[in-house]
Amino acid sequence: MDCEVITIAQDTGGDISLNQELMEELTQVSIGKPLIDSALTGTPLLKFGSGPPHILLCAGIHGNELPPQVAFFKLLNQLDGKKIKGTVYTIPIAIPYATMKNSRRFNGWDMNRKTFKEGCISNTILKTAQKLKIQAAADFHSTQPQSNPGIESVFCSKKPCYESFKIASHITHQTSSKVISQERAGTLYGGALEDELNISGIPAVTCEVVSRNGKVDSGSVERSFMQMKSFLDYFNMI
């Protein structure tokens, strides 16, 4: 892959090739062996392009939410070798160990409720975004049918970063997802990566597609990929 790969955390490594559900899907795309190899030693951050704007896309905060992690391999194929108008940072597999185990939790905790806690990988991602002067971020998830939210959606907030709501509106207009907006970041869920990014002044959204936990339901990868492309389209990156 024509990109720079950096390991941002070294306590999260795992062999994601042991996740059979994930690997069955990756036989249909270019597997991206360098990414699988780098995940063995921790959380990989991939950098494409250079110059402003600087944006960040992330998946795998919940290791058993597979569609966006699979979609990232498709996205990396598209970004590889392309002329990019700015800098795209990607964290396709945030917690390789949790993905290997097909688990929502890491070290017994839901990392999307621990972004405020020093030493947690979600906190490391937040600090990395601040260090890299990220101008906007999107965190990609999947939601189980008949759960919360249980529908294809984009979470956002209007305060303190109104652009969070604007980004969500753009993605939902292009993908027919539903906007789920808070008036102020952090009022619905404490410690979510998206909320803590917004609170720190980085406009962020959480994109959800529908798929059973630990599975890749039909169409879910394509829907997540569409959300990713729409986020990039908001910034006219490619």
Side-chain angles (χ1 to χ4, degrees):
M1 288 184 292
D2 183 22
C3 65
E4 182 181 351
V5 183
I6 306 157
T7 300
I8 63 169
Q10 297 182 323
D11 62 338
T12 53
D15 186 353
I16 65 173
S17 70
L18 297 178
N19 186 321
Q20 187 175 349
E21 298 284 344
L22 180 77
M23 294 307 292
E24 283 179 3
E25 296 298 321
L26 295 185
T27 59
Q28 301 170 29
V29 297
S30 174
I31 287 182
K33 191 172 183 300
L35 176 57
I36 294 173
D37 289 345
S38 63
L40 290 168
T41 58
T43 300
L45 172 79
L46 285 67
K47 176 189 175 186
F48 295 86
S50 61
H54 299 82
I55 66 168
L56 172 68
L57 297 85
C58 176
I61 290 287
H62 295 140
N64 66 341
E65 296 180 2
L66 301 182
Q69 297 181 77
V70 176
F72 250 113
F73 282 82
K74 294 167 68 77
L75 181 70
L76 298 180
N77 285 341
Q78 186 167 90
L79 292 176
D80 194 25
K82 281 276 176 65
K83 177 69 175 174
I84 297 169
K85 302 168 189 172
T87 308
V88 178
Y89 291 95
T90 67
I91 300 175
I93 314 285
I95 311 174
Y97 184 85
T99 298
M100 175 181 74
K101 294 291 189 180
N102 220 348
S103 172
R104 179 181 178 88
R105 294 174 177 264
F106 178 59
N107 290 337
W109 298 98
D110 180 342
M111 289 292 116
N112 209 33
R113 299 292 180 270
K114 290 285 182 181
T115 305
F116 53 79
K117 185 171 176 57
E118 186 85 25
C120 288
I121 179 58
S122 45
N123 181 262
T124 300
I125 293 171
L126 171 64
K127 288 183 174 178
T128 300
Q130 293 168 331
K131 181 180 177 181
L132 295 173
K133 300 189 184 325
I134 294 299
Q135 292 163 259
D139 187 21
F140 295 87
H141 290 251
S142 58
T143 177
Q144 190 153 260
Q146 300 177 327
S147 66
N148 184 16
I151 57 171
E152 186 176 312
S153 54
V154 184
F155 285 86
C156 62
S157 54
K158 295 180 179 178
K159 296 176 182 177
C161 297
Y162 189 75
E163 192 168 14
S164 168
F165 178 74
K166 289 172 64 179
I167 293 168
S169 298
H170 174 84
I171 295 171
T172 54
H173 176 72
Q174 289 195 337
T175 64
S176 301
S177 308
K178 179 184 177 183
V179 172
I180 300 179
S181 177
Q182 304 175 66
E183 191 62 29
R184 180 169 292 278
T187 55
L188 188 59
Y189 297 113
L193 178 60
E194 169 222 326
D195 285 313
E196 298 298 327
L197 284 162
N198 277 307
I199 289 167
S200 76
I202 300 172
V205 296
T206 298
C207 297
E208 300 262 11
V209 295
V210 180
S211 181
R212 289 167 296 165
N213 290 340
K215 303 288 184 181
V216 181
D217 288 351
S218 177
S220 58
V221 171
E222 292 73 18
R223 300 299 300 175
S224 188
F225 184 49
M226 284 175 61
Q227 290 177 332
M228 292 175 183
K229 289 197 297 182
S230 182
F231 178 69
L232 291 172
D233 178 70
Y234 180 87
F235 297 95
N236 298 310
M237 301 293 282
I238 56 175

